[in-house]
Structure formats: C-alpha cells, structure tokens
Amino acid sequence: MMWRSSFSLGRIGDVRLELHLSATVAVTVLTSVLALGLLPVTAPDEPTVRYWFGGLAVTLALLASVVVHELAHALVGRRYGVRTRRVTLWLFGGAAERAGTPPSPRAEALIAAAGPGTSAALGLACWLLALLVDPVLPSVPLVSLLWLGTANLVFAGIALLPGAPLDGGGLVRALVWARTNDRQHAGQVADRCGKTLGAALVAGGVVEVVLFGQFVGIWLAVLGWALLGIAGVERLHPNTDPVSP
C-alpha cells in the first residue's frame, strides 16, 4: 500500500495528512522545469536565484492546492456520511482513504466534482489576483502566480478525465449508477474506462517522446502506467480512493 512509504505531516481537523516519498520526485521535477524553462521564458533577464525561488514557491503552493482539493472532497463527502480518514500527497497529486460509500448517484457526483471544481476556482483566482497586482508586482513573482493558476487549471482538467480512479471516473460511475440503478456495475464501467484511459496515456506519452522528443511524454506515460496498475482498486477496496487526479 502507498501509506507504508509515507510520513505524517499532521492533521487538518479529523483528516490525517501524509507525504509519500514519490512526492519528492514531483517537487524536484516541477521546480526544475519552472526554474530552468518556464520562468526564464516568461520573465527573462532576471537573476537565476529568483527563478529557483519562484519555481519552489509555485511547487509548494501547488501541493497546498492539492490538499485544498482533497479537503473539498472530504467536506462534501461528510455531508453524505463518507468520512475521509487520510490524505496522502504523492507523485501525481493526492490519494484519499475514505470510510463509507455515497448513498446516491447525486452524492457520488457532487463528491467527485468538488475537488476539480475547487482546483479550477483556485486557478482562476490566481489569474485574477495576477491581473490586480500586475502594476506593482515584480516580474518573477507575477509570472509565478500565473503559472500557479495554470497548474491548478491543468490539475482540474486531468482530474476530470473519465476513468477510475480519477475524479472523472467518479462522475462516470455516478452517471451509470443513475441510469442502471446498479452501483457495482457502474464501478466496473468506471474501472474499464480507467484502464482504457491509462493505455491511451501510455501510448500517447511514448509517441510524444519517440516522435517529438517531448519530455512531458514521459510524465503522461508514467501517469498512464499508474492508472493501469491501480484501476479496479477502488472496486475491490471501496474505502480507498487511490488517485486524485
């Protein structure tokens, strides 16, 4: 289980917060991409140290945004008797351990949509704040804020991809459950969608790396591999939501 390679960051209310060792990979990669590529391009001719501080700030703020994303799931879930025991930050975002199942398709859909909706709101708020402080904020902090907004919007978009165990898979499950009145069958459909999505991401990532030499293809392929590896876990262990996104 993922939890065995994690250490505690404390509690937020009754939710235990943990950091998985794989999250250090994400922090290192994202900080480097920002400091060596994105920030120098969008805010040129600044001291290198500013790019590294900006990249690290965006990365840590994004991790905090992932926690807010998961707490949004937890808050809505609590209304429907689904308690979140633990949230673990890992390579691709957050993983939640939950107790209970939603009582209806509507509850399932609202719980699933809460996280991406919150991430999208955070992204738009960052963009709006950047517009408001544009005249007074130095270039590196300004573009860092814009990239944080962009990262939250991308995170929301990935989370909504239609396959378990992503949040979009929860929406698929809610839709099929509402149509068939069979949650078990709905879970199987969401799992199949997740496996298909995982295979597509692996194939797309390989094509990007081999044909176009794009580093992001490696990230897509690893995400797809992760989805293939854990698709079906939620159906077999209904108290675990392995990936969000």
Side-chain angles (χ1 to χ4, degrees):
M1 290 290 290
M2 178 183 299
W3 328 109
R4 295 176 183 173
S5 300
S6 306
F7 60 90
S8 177
L9 296 176
R11 305 184 74 90
I12 300 178
D14 58 353
V15 179
R16 183 177 177 181
L17 183 62
E18 296 186 351
L19 184 71
H20 189 260
L21 293 178
S22 65
T24 60
V25 177
V27 170
T28 301
V29 171
L30 184 55
T31 300
S32 299
V33 168
L34 286 162
L36 297 175
L38 299 179
L39 293 180
V41 169
T42 49
D45 302 323
E46 295 286 343
T48 301
V49 67
R50 292 186 184 177
Y51 297 136
W52 282 103
F53 274 117
L56 182 60
V58 171
T59 300
L60 295 180
L62 183 58
L63 283 179
S65 299
V66 173
V67 173
V68 175
H69 173 114
E70 292 296 340
L71 291 179
H73 285 305
L75 185 62
V76 176
R78 183 182 297 178
R79 292 183 54 192
Y80 296 101
V82 180
R83 186 170 65 89
T84 299
R85 295 171 173 168
R86 170 166 43 191
V87 168
T88 300
L89 301 175
W90 74 301
L91 181 62
F92 292 110
E97 181 184 5
R98 298 189 176 111
T101 56
S104 67
R106 181 176 184 273
E108 179 98 60
L110 289 175
I111 294 170
T118 299
S119 293
L122 288 173
L124 293 175
C126 288
W127 281 1
L128 178 60
L129 180 60
L131 289 175
L132 293 175
V133 300
D134 186 5
V136 297
L137 203 64
S139 59
V140 173
L142 180 64
V143 298
S144 295
L145 187 57
L146 289 170
W147 280 116
L148 177 60
T150 301
N152 270 288
L153 291 171
V154 171
F155 186 78
I158 294 175
L160 287 172
L161 291 174
L166 300 174
D167 296 332
L171 295 176
V172 170
R173 185 166 52 245
L175 177 61
V176 177
W177 184 7
R179 288 178 176 269
T180 65
N181 200 33
D182 186 342
R183 189 178 191 276
Q184 183 176 0
H185 173 68
Q188 292 171 349
V189 172
D191 290 340
R192 288 196 294 269
C193 290
K195 291 177 181 177
T196 301
L197 175 63
L201 288 174
V202 170
V206 170
V207 168
E208 283 209 36
V209 172
V210 174
L211 296 185
F212 303 105
Q214 297 293 320
F215 172 79
V216 70
I218 298 176
W219 206 253
L220 288 177
V222 174
L223 174 58
W225 172 80
L227 290 180
L228 285 172
I230 60 182
V233 170
E234 186 176 0
R235 177 165 54 87
L236 295 173
H237 304 283
N239 289 339
T240 302
D241 180 16
V243 178
S244 182

